[in-house]
Amino acid sequence: MIFSKSYCPHSTRVKELFSSLGVECNVLELDQVDDGAKVQEVLSEITNQKTVPNVFVNKVHVGGCDQTFQAYQSGLLQKLLQEDSAYDYDLIIVGGGSGGLSCAKEAAILGKKVMVLDFVVPSPQGTSWGLGGTCVNVGCIPKKLMHQAALLGQALCDSRKFGWEYNQQVKHNWETMTKAIQNHISSLNWGYRLSLREKAVAYVNSYGEFVEHHKIKVTNKKGQETYYTAAQFVIATGERPRYLGIQGDKEYCITSDDLFSLPYCPGKTLVVGASYVALECAGFLAGIGLDVTVMVRSILLRGFDQEMAEKVGSYMEQHGVKFLRKFIPVMIQQLEKGSPGKLKVLAKSTEGTETIEGVYNTVLLAIGRDSCTRKMGLEKIGVKINEKSGKIPVNDVEQTSVPYVFAVGDISEGKPELTPVAIQSGKLLARRLFGASLEKIYHTLFWPLEWTVAGRENNTCYAKIICNKLDHDRVIGFHILGPNAGEVTQGFAAAMKCGLTKQLLDDTIGIHPTCGEVFTTLEITKSSGLDITQKGC
Ligand code: NDP
């Protein structure tokens, strides 16, 4: 299908190409039909391409003139032309994290036959988890819950000033906390499986590896292999923690993959790294009363406002976190086995020849994360990756170097590594691929994360906005029923004064996990009558 303009030389070249290949095409000359401009507008919404020619082969969007010729030169165009719709699935998504799941659900809502492959390769310490990806299992969710545990300790101290009197000795029990958090995560894993089932998305707990164009081999835990084909693929495999590559690191150190389900209290802990993961973990570990040291190679929170970063550092220092600056570990030795055992860490200065030694119960590495893109046969179908970072370069519509393969989430090059970004990209990608939707009163129920473990009721908190259709969906009403409602409303009130629209809310990246972020993902209109109860995070 070629959307063309009769006078456009690029369109002519593309038509000539298909004719030289003996392919009969459907051609719509947009300058010769009454609703040509409207069609072009819709095309631009669906494909994010404003210009002609706009070429589709067997429902796959190939692109404009240059992309069509590139596909021809790589042989992909010929391959696409041979395909009919005899694929097993319309869409296979590799990776069941935030990006993959949101894309899968949206594509299914739009009537497509979808499969999600999700497989967690166990960490060197043997930790693995269920459906939902990093954020739910070993990231934002358990992080915020452990942070909440630390805040409660602080609140207990504060409470005496507010008149609370108690004699019982206050101490923290790691096992109780971890068990409660893991139970909550299991319920989320289950919720995700259910929601996929409800939308008739096939979920396969197996590892995916491309073997040829449009074909993927999936291997389950027992090593059984099955092959599936699909018209289009989305790669959403995320990242895993990096290791130092020094003696003893994989044997004895843990990472954020292991921390949140650690069956014993980590005790005296050395955190290596000085970015988000390192400082967040150091913060809550110290908050529950552990002896915590952070080993910083260079500066705190690279890429972040350094005045703020240093303020964070000094606040943490005042609250008991020790910092060892300008040192890197060179060897980890086990002194004693145990839960936790004892580890000796040898470190050297980054500025001179000085070396130091320290003894810790646990060494937590938080030195960055690597994309999971190198062992999935991408080279077999020609998907280009950045050899250095392992990230996948994508265009404005998340398309990789192979037109029927898309990538969302942390593995996409140049995109912020954040859950709400992945969720939004996954959803928008599905809408672009399989049809656009128009957007009013928007509303939803929500369950604050702090209420989940505490066992407080779900589907009580409520968010609602009222938009003026005649004025670009400008937000003219804002309501929230939930914790910190005043704080949340204050910020949005200023935004409303500045002419906040529904589109601007949608374009806003949520701060996760907070209550306020619910306003960046509102999608159900009251008039649709759709169910707004929450089944997961
Ligand atoms: P980052 O890649 O952000 O930072 C790595 C840190 O480790 C830096 O401090 C770096 O120091 C240090 N480091 C790297 N290599 C070594 C080494 N060999 N020895 C010692 N130190 C080393 O990693 P994170 O794991 O913290 O975060 C990964 C991603 O996850 C980030 O993109 C972040 O945005 C995202 N994230 C988001 C969160 C949120 O939104 N709340 C929470 C947590 C993570 P140097 O500065 O010297 O390079």
Side-chain angles (χ1 to χ4, degrees), residues 143 239 242 244 272-278 280 295-299 301-302 327-329 366-369 410 417-418 512:
K143 180 280 303 277
E239 297 184 317
R242 191 175 297 154
L244 285 162
V272 183
S275 196
Y276 300 92
V277 177
E280 286 178 341
M295 188 174 283
V296 184
R297 174 168 76 174
S298 57
I299 54 170
L301 295 171
R302 176 176 302 286
F327 275 95
I328 47 168
I367 55 162
R369 301 171 61 83
D410 291 358
E417 294 174 357
L418 300 169
H512 187 64

PDB file of all heavy atoms in Angstrom, residues 143 239 242 244 272-278 280 295-299 301-302 327-329 366-369 410 417-418 512, ligand 1:
ATOM      1  N   LYS A 143      12.045  -1.144  46.511  1.00  0.00           N
ATOM      2  CA  LYS A 143      12.865  -0.031  47.006  1.00  0.00           C
ATOM      3  C   LYS A 143      12.017   0.911  47.844  1.00  0.00           C
ATOM      4  O   LYS A 143      12.350   1.263  48.970  1.00  0.00           O
ATOM      5  CB  LYS A 143      13.493   0.694  45.812  1.00  0.00           C
ATOM      6  CG  LYS A 143      14.381   1.872  46.071  1.00  0.00           C
ATOM      7  CD  LYS A 143      13.702   3.185  46.349  1.00  0.00           C
ATOM      8  CE  LYS A 143      12.755   3.710  45.311  1.00  0.00           C
ATOM      9  NZ  LYS A 143      13.340   4.428  44.225  1.00  0.00           N
ATOM     10  N   GLU A 239      17.477  -4.216  31.528  1.00  0.00           N
ATOM     11  CA  GLU A 239      18.899  -4.273  31.883  1.00  0.00           C
ATOM     12  C   GLU A 239      19.099  -5.086  33.161  1.00  0.00           C
ATOM     13  O   GLU A 239      18.167  -5.249  33.944  1.00  0.00           O
ATOM     14  CB  GLU A 239      19.432  -2.865  32.115  1.00  0.00           C
ATOM     15  CG  GLU A 239      19.387  -1.991  30.886  1.00  0.00           C
ATOM     16  CD  GLU A 239      20.011  -0.625  31.137  1.00  0.00           C
ATOM     17  OE1 GLU A 239      19.748  -0.032  32.198  1.00  0.00           O
ATOM     18  OE2 GLU A 239      20.759  -0.168  30.295  1.00  0.00           O
ATOM     19  N   ARG A 242      25.529  -4.642  36.588  1.00  0.00           N
ATOM     20  CA  ARG A 242      26.894  -4.905  36.101  1.00  0.00           C
ATOM     21  C   ARG A 242      27.764  -5.389  37.270  1.00  0.00           C
ATOM     22  O   ARG A 242      27.483  -5.050  38.426  1.00  0.00           O
ATOM     23  CB  ARG A 242      27.435  -3.571  35.579  1.00  0.00           C
ATOM     24  CG  ARG A 242      28.712  -3.634  34.811  1.00  0.00           C
ATOM     25  CD  ARG A 242      29.030  -2.246  34.261  1.00  0.00           C
ATOM     26  NE  ARG A 242      28.020  -1.774  33.311  1.00  0.00           N
ATOM     27  CZ  ARG A 242      27.778  -0.492  33.078  1.00  0.00           C
ATOM     28  NH1 ARG A 242      28.428   0.458  33.737  1.00  0.00           N
ATOM     29  NH2 ARG A 242      26.865  -0.144  32.207  1.00  0.00           N
ATOM     30  N   LEU A 244      31.939  -5.919  38.783  1.00  0.00           N
ATOM     31  CA  LEU A 244      33.188  -5.171  38.706  1.00  0.00           C
ATOM     32  C   LEU A 244      34.237  -5.852  37.830  1.00  0.00           C
ATOM     33  O   LEU A 244      35.114  -5.194  37.277  1.00  0.00           O
ATOM     34  CB  LEU A 244      33.769  -5.026  40.119  1.00  0.00           C
ATOM     35  CG  LEU A 244      33.094  -4.023  41.030  1.00  0.00           C
ATOM     36  CD1 LEU A 244      33.463  -4.307  42.472  1.00  0.00           C
ATOM     37  CD2 LEU A 244      33.479  -2.607  40.642  1.00  0.00           C
ATOM     38  N   VAL A 272      28.938  -0.313  46.773  1.00  0.00           N
ATOM     39  CA  VAL A 272      29.896   0.213  45.792  1.00  0.00           C
ATOM     40  C   VAL A 272      29.104   0.909  44.685  1.00  0.00           C
ATOM     41  O   VAL A 272      28.199   0.317  44.100  1.00  0.00           O
ATOM     42  CB  VAL A 272      30.760  -0.921  45.186  1.00  0.00           C
ATOM     43  CG1 VAL A 272      31.804  -0.338  44.232  1.00  0.00           C
ATOM     44  CG2 VAL A 272      31.414  -1.748  46.281  1.00  0.00           C
ATOM     45  N   GLY A 273      29.488   2.162  44.388  1.00  0.00           N
ATOM     46  CA  GLY A 273      28.754   2.964  43.390  1.00  0.00           C
ATOM     47  C   GLY A 273      28.166   4.169  44.091  1.00  0.00           C
ATOM     48  O   GLY A 273      27.991   4.166  45.320  1.00  0.00           O
ATOM     49  N   ALA A 274      27.875   5.209  43.312  1.00  0.00           N
ATOM     50  CA  ALA A 274      27.407   6.436  43.956  1.00  0.00           C
ATOM     51  C   ALA A 274      26.300   7.089  43.165  1.00  0.00           C
ATOM     52  O   ALA A 274      26.131   8.291  43.173  1.00  0.00           O
ATOM     53  CB  ALA A 274      28.574   7.405  44.112  1.00  0.00           C
ATOM     54  N   SER A 275      25.547   6.234  42.431  1.00  0.00           N
ATOM     55  CA  SER A 275      24.437   6.806  41.681  1.00  0.00           C
ATOM     56  C   SER A 275      23.119   6.431  42.358  1.00  0.00           C
ATOM     57  O   SER A 275      23.098   6.043  43.521  1.00  0.00           O
ATOM     58  CB  SER A 275      24.526   6.325  40.239  1.00  0.00           C
ATOM     59  OG  SER A 275      23.708   7.131  39.445  1.00  0.00           O
ATOM     60  N   TYR A 276      22.005   6.528  41.591  1.00  0.00           N
ATOM     61  CA  TYR A 276      20.677   6.349  42.194  1.00  0.00           C
ATOM     62  C   TYR A 276      20.548   5.076  43.010  1.00  0.00           C
ATOM     63  O   TYR A 276      20.147   5.099  44.170  1.00  0.00           O
ATOM     64  CB  TYR A 276      19.596   6.326  41.115  1.00  0.00           C
ATOM     65  CG  TYR A 276      19.553   7.590  40.306  1.00  0.00           C
ATOM     66  CD1 TYR A 276      20.285   7.695  39.134  1.00  0.00           C
ATOM     67  CD2 TYR A 276      18.808   8.668  40.736  1.00  0.00           C
ATOM     68  CE1 TYR A 276      20.256   8.865  38.400  1.00  0.00           C
ATOM     69  CE2 TYR A 276      18.764   9.832  40.009  1.00  0.00           C
ATOM     70  CZ  TYR A 276      19.496   9.933  38.840  1.00  0.00           C
ATOM     71  OH  TYR A 276      19.470  11.083  38.120  1.00  0.00           O
ATOM     72  N   VAL A 277      20.885   3.934  42.364  1.00  0.00           N
ATOM     73  CA  VAL A 277      20.654   2.649  43.034  1.00  0.00           C
ATOM     74  C   VAL A 277      21.479   2.589  44.315  1.00  0.00           C
ATOM     75  O   VAL A 277      20.987   2.218  45.384  1.00  0.00           O
ATOM     76  CB  VAL A 277      20.999   1.477  42.090  1.00  0.00           C
ATOM     77  CG1 VAL A 277      20.830   0.159  42.804  1.00  0.00           C
ATOM     78  CG2 VAL A 277      20.115   1.520  40.852  1.00  0.00           C
ATOM     79  N   ALA A 278      22.762   2.982  44.229  1.00  0.00           N
ATOM     80  CA  ALA A 278      23.655   2.907  45.382  1.00  0.00           C
ATOM     81  C   ALA A 278      23.131   3.763  46.540  1.00  0.00           C
ATOM     82  O   ALA A 278      23.001   3.295  47.675  1.00  0.00           O
ATOM     83  CB  ALA A 278      25.056   3.378  44.977  1.00  0.00           C
ATOM     84  N   GLU A 280      20.130   5.111  47.039  1.00  0.00           N
ATOM     85  CA  GLU A 280      18.813   4.728  47.555  1.00  0.00           C
ATOM     86  C   GLU A 280      18.940   3.529  48.490  1.00  0.00           C
ATOM     87  O   GLU A 280      18.354   3.501  49.575  1.00  0.00           O
ATOM     88  CB  GLU A 280      17.856   4.401  46.395  1.00  0.00           C
ATOM     89  CG  GLU A 280      17.398   5.654  45.664  1.00  0.00           C
ATOM     90  CD  GLU A 280      16.487   5.366  44.476  1.00  0.00           C
ATOM     91  OE1 GLU A 280      16.480   4.232  43.974  1.00  0.00           O
ATOM     92  OE2 GLU A 280      15.781   6.285  44.061  1.00  0.00           O
ATOM     93  N   MET A 295      31.160   3.314  48.861  1.00  0.00           N
ATOM     94  CA  MET A 295      32.456   3.561  48.232  1.00  0.00           C
ATOM     95  C   MET A 295      32.222   4.290  46.911  1.00  0.00           C
ATOM     96  O   MET A 295      31.569   3.771  46.006  1.00  0.00           O
ATOM     97  CB  MET A 295      33.200   2.250  47.989  1.00  0.00           C
ATOM     98  CG  MET A 295      34.620   2.465  47.529  1.00  0.00           C
ATOM     99  SD  MET A 295      35.561   0.934  47.388  1.00  0.00           S
ATOM    100  CE  MET A 295      35.941   0.581  49.077  1.00  0.00           C
ATOM    101  N   VAL A 296      32.752   5.507  46.849  1.00  0.00           N
ATOM    102  CA  VAL A 296      32.480   6.394  45.713  1.00  0.00           C
ATOM    103  C   VAL A 296      33.727   6.483  44.827  1.00  0.00           C
ATOM    104  O   VAL A 296      34.793   6.849  45.305  1.00  0.00           O
ATOM    105  CB  VAL A 296      32.138   7.818  46.230  1.00  0.00           C
ATOM    106  CG1 VAL A 296      31.743   8.745  45.091  1.00  0.00           C
ATOM    107  CG2 VAL A 296      31.055   7.763  47.287  1.00  0.00           C
ATOM    108  N   ARG A 297      33.568   6.138  43.557  1.00  0.00           N
ATOM    109  CA  ARG A 297      34.732   6.205  42.655  1.00  0.00           C
ATOM    110  C   ARG A 297      35.098   7.650  42.333  1.00  0.00           C
ATOM    111  O   ARG A 297      36.249   8.034  42.362  1.00  0.00           O
ATOM    112  CB  ARG A 297      34.421   5.447  41.372  1.00  0.00           C
ATOM    113  CG  ARG A 297      35.478   5.563  40.323  1.00  0.00           C
ATOM    114  CD  ARG A 297      35.285   4.593  39.202  1.00  0.00           C
ATOM    115  NE  ARG A 297      34.218   5.003  38.288  1.00  0.00           N
ATOM    116  CZ  ARG A 297      33.938   4.363  37.161  1.00  0.00           C
ATOM    117  NH1 ARG A 297      34.617   3.276  36.842  1.00  0.00           N
ATOM    118  NH2 ARG A 297      32.971   4.776  36.386  1.00  0.00           N
ATOM    119  N   SER A 298      34.108   8.458  42.028  1.00  0.00           N
ATOM    120  CA  SER A 298      34.427   9.845  41.659  1.00  0.00           C
ATOM    121  C   SER A 298      33.511  10.821  42.392  1.00  0.00           C
ATOM    122  O   SER A 298      33.873  11.345  43.440  1.00  0.00           O
ATOM    123  CB  SER A 298      34.329  10.025  40.147  1.00  0.00           C
ATOM    124  OG  SER A 298      33.037   9.671  39.689  1.00  0.00           O
ATOM    125  N   ILE A 299      32.302  11.027  41.843  1.00  0.00           N
ATOM    126  CA  ILE A 299      31.389  12.004  42.446  1.00  0.00           C
ATOM    127  C   ILE A 299      30.054  11.333  42.743  1.00  0.00           C
ATOM    128  O   ILE A 299      29.764  10.258  42.224  1.00  0.00           O
ATOM    129  CB  ILE A 299      31.139  13.207  41.494  1.00  0.00           C
ATOM    130  CG1 ILE A 299      30.667  12.702  40.120  1.00  0.00           C
ATOM    131  CG2 ILE A 299      32.363  14.074  41.380  1.00  0.00           C
ATOM    132  CD1 ILE A 299      30.159  13.781  39.195  1.00  0.00           C
ATOM    133  N   LEU A 301      26.102  10.950  42.306  1.00  0.00           N
ATOM    134  CA  LEU A 301      25.027  11.219  41.343  1.00  0.00           C
ATOM    135  C   LEU A 301      25.478  11.980  40.100  1.00  0.00           C
ATOM    136  O   LEU A 301      25.027  13.097  39.834  1.00  0.00           O
ATOM    137  CB  LEU A 301      23.898  11.992  42.043  1.00  0.00           C
ATOM    138  CG  LEU A 301      23.175  11.250  43.153  1.00  0.00           C
ATOM    139  CD1 LEU A 301      22.243  12.182  43.918  1.00  0.00           C
ATOM    140  CD2 LEU A 301      22.389  10.064  42.621  1.00  0.00           C
ATOM    141  N   ARG A 302      26.390  11.331  39.347  1.00  0.00           N
ATOM    142  CA  ARG A 302      26.858  11.938  38.093  1.00  0.00           C
ATOM    143  C   ARG A 302      25.657  12.299  37.220  1.00  0.00           C
ATOM    144  O   ARG A 302      24.694  11.550  37.124  1.00  0.00           O
ATOM    145  CB  ARG A 302      27.753  10.946  37.364  1.00  0.00           C
ATOM    146  CG  ARG A 302      28.222  11.408  36.003  1.00  0.00           C
ATOM    147  CD  ARG A 302      29.175  10.402  35.382  1.00  0.00           C
ATOM    148  NE  ARG A 302      30.340  10.158  36.236  1.00  0.00           N
ATOM    149  CZ  ARG A 302      31.344  11.009  36.403  1.00  0.00           C
ATOM    150  NH1 ARG A 302      31.333  12.179  35.762  1.00  0.00           N
ATOM    151  NH2 ARG A 302      32.348  10.721  37.187  1.00  0.00           N
ATOM    152  N   PHE A 327      37.770   5.823  46.002  1.00  0.00           N
ATOM    153  CA  PHE A 327      38.325   4.476  46.122  1.00  0.00           C
ATOM    154  C   PHE A 327      37.535   3.521  45.247  1.00  0.00           C
ATOM    155  O   PHE A 327      36.332   3.714  45.026  1.00  0.00           O
ATOM    156  CB  PHE A 327      38.273   3.984  47.579  1.00  0.00           C
ATOM    157  CG  PHE A 327      39.465   4.436  48.375  1.00  0.00           C
ATOM    158  CD1 PHE A 327      39.413   5.594  49.141  1.00  0.00           C
ATOM    159  CD2 PHE A 327      40.647   3.707  48.330  1.00  0.00           C
ATOM    160  CE1 PHE A 327      40.518   6.024  49.856  1.00  0.00           C
ATOM    161  CE2 PHE A 327      41.765   4.137  49.037  1.00  0.00           C
ATOM    162  CZ  PHE A 327      41.703   5.295  49.817  1.00  0.00           C
ATOM    163  N   ILE A 328      38.227   2.488  44.741  1.00  0.00           N
ATOM    164  CA  ILE A 328      37.514   1.415  44.013  1.00  0.00           C
ATOM    165  C   ILE A 328      37.981   0.058  44.550  1.00  0.00           C
ATOM    166  O   ILE A 328      39.165  -0.119  44.863  1.00  0.00           O
ATOM    167  CB  ILE A 328      37.755   1.472  42.482  1.00  0.00           C
ATOM    168  CG1 ILE A 328      39.239   1.640  42.162  1.00  0.00           C
ATOM    169  CG2 ILE A 328      36.940   2.547  41.822  1.00  0.00           C
ATOM    170  CD1 ILE A 328      39.564   1.406  40.709  1.00  0.00           C
ATOM    171  N   PRO A 329      37.081  -0.904  44.662  1.00  0.00           N
ATOM    172  CA  PRO A 329      37.477  -2.219  45.162  1.00  0.00           C
ATOM    173  C   PRO A 329      38.378  -2.932  44.148  1.00  0.00           C
ATOM    174  O   PRO A 329      38.156  -2.787  42.943  1.00  0.00           O
ATOM    175  CB  PRO A 329      36.150  -2.980  45.305  1.00  0.00           C
ATOM    176  CG  PRO A 329      35.078  -2.016  45.019  1.00  0.00           C
ATOM    177  CD  PRO A 329      35.660  -0.859  44.301  1.00  0.00           C
ATOM    178  N   ALA A 366      26.433  -1.575  43.033  1.00  0.00           N
ATOM    179  CA  ALA A 366      25.423  -0.763  42.331  1.00  0.00           C
ATOM    180  C   ALA A 366      26.197   0.176  41.417  1.00  0.00           C
ATOM    181  O   ALA A 366      26.254   1.377  41.622  1.00  0.00           O
ATOM    182  CB  ALA A 366      24.574   0.004  43.327  1.00  0.00           C
ATOM    183  N   ILE A 367      26.836  -0.439  40.414  1.00  0.00           N
ATOM    184  CA  ILE A 367      27.774   0.328  39.581  1.00  0.00           C
ATOM    185  C   ILE A 367      27.268   0.487  38.152  1.00  0.00           C
ATOM    186  O   ILE A 367      28.029   0.721  37.231  1.00  0.00           O
ATOM    187  CB  ILE A 367      29.156  -0.354  39.565  1.00  0.00           C
ATOM    188  CG1 ILE A 367      29.024  -1.801  39.116  1.00  0.00           C
ATOM    189  CG2 ILE A 367      29.817  -0.272  40.939  1.00  0.00           C
ATOM    190  CD1 ILE A 367      30.326  -2.415  38.665  1.00  0.00           C
ATOM    191  N   GLY A 368      25.974   0.367  37.969  1.00  0.00           N
ATOM    192  CA  GLY A 368      25.407   0.545  36.635  1.00  0.00           C
ATOM    193  C   GLY A 368      24.786  -0.754  36.141  1.00  0.00           C
ATOM    194  O   GLY A 368      24.894  -1.793  36.786  1.00  0.00           O
ATOM    195  N   ARG A 369      24.123  -0.646  34.975  1.00  0.00           N
ATOM    196  CA  ARG A 369      23.378  -1.795  34.480  1.00  0.00           C
ATOM    197  C   ARG A 369      23.672  -2.001  32.992  1.00  0.00           C
ATOM    198  O   ARG A 369      23.942  -1.039  32.275  1.00  0.00           O
ATOM    199  CB  ARG A 369      21.884  -1.558  34.704  1.00  0.00           C
ATOM    200  CG  ARG A 369      21.547  -1.342  36.159  1.00  0.00           C
ATOM    201  CD  ARG A 369      20.110  -0.899  36.347  1.00  0.00           C
ATOM    202  NE  ARG A 369      19.151  -1.870  35.860  1.00  0.00           N
ATOM    203  CZ  ARG A 369      18.727  -2.931  36.556  1.00  0.00           C
ATOM    204  NH1 ARG A 369      19.176  -3.145  37.776  1.00  0.00           N
ATOM    205  NH2 ARG A 369      17.852  -3.758  36.039  1.00  0.00           N
ATOM    206  N   ASP A 410      14.388   0.387  28.884  1.00  0.00           N
ATOM    207  CA  ASP A 410      15.784   0.722  29.184  1.00  0.00           C
ATOM    208  C   ASP A 410      16.777   0.355  28.083  1.00  0.00           C
ATOM    209  O   ASP A 410      17.869   0.893  28.030  1.00  0.00           O
ATOM    210  CB  ASP A 410      16.233   0.018  30.473  1.00  0.00           C
ATOM    211  CG  ASP A 410      15.547   0.577  31.697  1.00  0.00           C
ATOM    212  OD1 ASP A 410      14.758   1.529  31.539  1.00  0.00           O
ATOM    213  OD2 ASP A 410      15.797   0.066  32.806  1.00  0.00           O
ATOM    214  N   GLU A 417      16.010   5.918  31.600  1.00  0.00           N
ATOM    215  CA  GLU A 417      15.753   4.554  32.102  1.00  0.00           C
ATOM    216  C   GLU A 417      14.762   4.610  33.244  1.00  0.00           C
ATOM    217  O   GLU A 417      15.127   4.482  34.412  1.00  0.00           O
ATOM    218  CB  GLU A 417      17.071   3.937  32.562  1.00  0.00           C
ATOM    219  CG  GLU A 417      18.027   3.729  31.410  1.00  0.00           C
ATOM    220  CD  GLU A 417      19.390   3.259  31.853  1.00  0.00           C
ATOM    221  OE1 GLU A 417      19.636   3.138  33.064  1.00  0.00           O
ATOM    222  OE2 GLU A 417      20.215   2.995  30.967  1.00  0.00           O
ATOM    223  N   LEU A 418      13.517   4.850  32.933  1.00  0.00           N
ATOM    224  CA  LEU A 418      12.509   5.029  33.967  1.00  0.00           C
ATOM    225  C   LEU A 418      11.238   4.274  33.603  1.00  0.00           C
ATOM    226  O   LEU A 418      10.814   4.271  32.438  1.00  0.00           O
ATOM    227  CB  LEU A 418      12.170   6.520  34.125  1.00  0.00           C
ATOM    228  CG  LEU A 418      13.333   7.427  34.528  1.00  0.00           C
ATOM    229  CD1 LEU A 418      12.955   8.879  34.395  1.00  0.00           C
ATOM    230  CD2 LEU A 418      13.777   7.125  35.953  1.00  0.00           C
ATOM    231  N   HIS A 512       7.718   7.882  40.006  1.00  0.00           N
ATOM    232  CA  HIS A 512       7.227   6.559  40.371  1.00  0.00           C
ATOM    233  C   HIS A 512       7.950   6.009  41.595  1.00  0.00           C
ATOM    234  O   HIS A 512       9.167   6.119  41.655  1.00  0.00           O
ATOM    235  CB  HIS A 512       7.463   5.623  39.177  1.00  0.00           C
ATOM    236  CG  HIS A 512       6.861   4.276  39.347  1.00  0.00           C
ATOM    237  ND1 HIS A 512       5.508   4.092  39.456  1.00  0.00           N
ATOM    238  CD2 HIS A 512       7.426   3.057  39.422  1.00  0.00           C
ATOM    239  CE1 HIS A 512       5.283   2.789  39.590  1.00  0.00           C
ATOM    240  NE2 HIS A 512       6.432   2.154  39.583  1.00  0.00           N
TER     241      HIS A 512
HETATM  242  P1  NDP B   1      24.459   4.481  36.999  1.00  0.00           P
HETATM  243  O1  NDP B   1      24.898   3.962  35.699  1.00  0.00           O
HETATM  244  O2  NDP B   1      23.522   5.617  37.065  1.00  0.00           O
HETATM  245  O3  NDP B   1      25.751   4.878  37.894  1.00  0.00           O
HETATM  246  C1  NDP B   1      26.786   3.989  38.159  1.00  0.00           C
HETATM  247  C2  NDP B   1      27.511   4.392  39.433  1.00  0.00           C
HETATM  248  O4  NDP B   1      28.500   3.406  39.719  1.00  0.00           O
HETATM  249  C3  NDP B   1      28.251   5.701  39.308  1.00  0.00           C
HETATM  250  O5  NDP B   1      28.282   6.321  40.561  1.00  0.00           O
HETATM  251  C4  NDP B   1      29.642   5.248  38.849  1.00  0.00           C
HETATM  252  O6  NDP B   1      30.651   6.141  39.207  1.00  0.00           O
HETATM  253  C5  NDP B   1      29.815   3.984  39.661  1.00  0.00           C
HETATM  254  N1  NDP B   1      30.696   3.012  39.026  1.00  0.00           N
HETATM  255  C6  NDP B   1      30.636   2.536  37.759  1.00  0.00           C
HETATM  256  N2  NDP B   1      31.610   1.641  37.550  1.00  0.00           N
HETATM  257  C7  NDP B   1      32.307   1.539  38.695  1.00  0.00           C
HETATM  258  C8  NDP B   1      33.426   0.780  39.096  1.00  0.00           C
HETATM  259  N3  NDP B   1      34.013  -0.056  38.258  1.00  0.00           N
HETATM  260  N4  NDP B   1      33.871   0.931  40.354  1.00  0.00           N
HETATM  261  C9  NDP B   1      33.269   1.775  41.212  1.00  0.00           C
HETATM  262  N5  NDP B   1      32.202   2.539  40.906  1.00  0.00           N
HETATM  263  C10 NDP B   1      31.731   2.417  39.651  1.00  0.00           C
HETATM  264  O7  NDP B   1      23.903   3.198  37.759  1.00  0.00           O
HETATM  265  P2  NDP B   1      22.721   2.821  38.707  1.00  0.00           P
HETATM  266  O8  NDP B   1      22.881   1.364  38.840  1.00  0.00           O
HETATM  267  O9  NDP B   1      22.699   3.624  39.962  1.00  0.00           O
HETATM  268  O10 NDP B   1      21.394   3.169  37.907  1.00  0.00           O
HETATM  269  C11 NDP B   1      21.089   2.524  36.671  1.00  0.00           C
HETATM  270  C12 NDP B   1      19.925   3.235  36.006  1.00  0.00           C
HETATM  271  O11 NDP B   1      18.724   3.021  36.705  1.00  0.00           O
HETATM  272  C13 NDP B   1      20.132   4.727  35.908  1.00  0.00           C
HETATM  273  O12 NDP B   1      19.956   5.127  34.582  1.00  0.00           O
HETATM  274  C14 NDP B   1      19.036   5.334  36.752  1.00  0.00           C
HETATM  275  O13 NDP B   1      18.500   6.478  36.112  1.00  0.00           O
HETATM  276  C15 NDP B   1      18.001   4.228  36.852  1.00  0.00           C
HETATM  277  N6  NDP B   1      17.376   4.298  38.180  1.00  0.00           N
HETATM  278  C16 NDP B   1      16.311   5.111  38.375  1.00  0.00           C
HETATM  279  C17 NDP B   1      15.745   5.216  39.626  1.00  0.00           C
HETATM  280  C18 NDP B   1      14.619   6.118  39.856  1.00  0.00           C
HETATM  281  O14 NDP B   1      14.065   6.640  38.940  1.00  0.00           O
HETATM  282  N7  NDP B   1      14.228   6.369  41.088  1.00  0.00           N
HETATM  283  C19 NDP B   1      16.220   4.465  40.760  1.00  0.00           C
HETATM  284  C20 NDP B   1      17.343   3.671  40.456  1.00  0.00           C
HETATM  285  C21 NDP B   1      17.897   3.602  39.194  1.00  0.00           C
HETATM  286  P3  NDP B   1      31.171   7.303  38.204  1.00  0.00           P
HETATM  287  O15 NDP B   1      30.269   8.493  38.444  1.00  0.00           O
HETATM  288  O16 NDP B   1      32.561   7.510  38.655  1.00  0.00           O
HETATM  289  O17 NDP B   1      31.066   6.782  36.802  1.00  0.00           O
END
